Amino acid sequence: QVRLAESGGGLVQAGESLRLSCVASGISRSFNTMGWYRQAPGKQRELAATITEGGFTNYADSVKDRFTISRDNAKNTVYLQIDSLKPEDTAVYNCYARIDLLPFWGRGTQVTVSS
């Protein structure tokens, strides 16, 4: 059974940085795409960033200057470096992975940014 486990969230002050990690288990091949979505209180879940197996990245316009996504295919792990955190970055960050047309989701890690 495929499982995605996120870590690295927490309570931080505005301007600080965080590095989120997501480790996939229960699978013996790399995902086509891995990434991060986020859901702020009272809002719909939105894309933050994705990265393909070959390293092609895609970012939401609102985060592209402060978020950096990377992955380690050998470890089936995806990372999200978040710099210059803002209160509006407060959200649950969910890991996402896809093999062909089959999506997988992690349970999420909470990021809370105080002003």
Side-chain angles (χ1 to χ4, degrees):
Q1 182 177 358
V2 176
R3 180 173 177 263
L4 303 179
E6 302 100 332
S7 62
L11 173 62
V12 297
Q13 293 189 332
E16 294 183 340
S17 298
L18 278 177
R19 189 191 194 209
L20 307 183
S21 299
C22 172
V23 180
S25 59
I27 189 166
S28 59
R29 55 165 288 192
S30 294
F31 294 96
N32 301 120
T33 299
M34 300 185 80
W36 295 89
Y37 284 69
R38 65 181 184 176
Q39 186 167 19
K43 296 186 177 181
Q44 289 188 329
R45 185 165 59 188
E46 63 176 5
L47 167 73
T50 59
I51 183 168
T52 67
E53 187 175 6
F56 180 81
T57 58
N58 180 51
Y59 295 93
D61 288 341
S62 60
V63 307
K64 62 175 54 180
D65 293 332
R66 299 182 295 113
F67 287 23
T68 304
I69 190 170
S70 60
R71 65 187 283 178
D72 184 332
N73 291 333
K75 297 180 179 179
N76 253 340
T77 300
V78 62
Y79 307 97
L80 187 68
Q81 176 71 34
I82 310 175
D83 297 319
S84 303
L85 277 154
K86 303 176 181 181
E88 50 263 43
D89 294 320
T90 295
V92 174
Y93 285 72
N94 291 98
C95 180
Y96 163 83
R98 180 179 59 81
I99 291 181
D100 298 328
L101 298 179
L102 190 61
F104 299 92
W105 293 93
R107 292 188 175 184
T109 185
Q110 176 70 46
V111 173
T112 303
V113 185
S114 63
S115 58

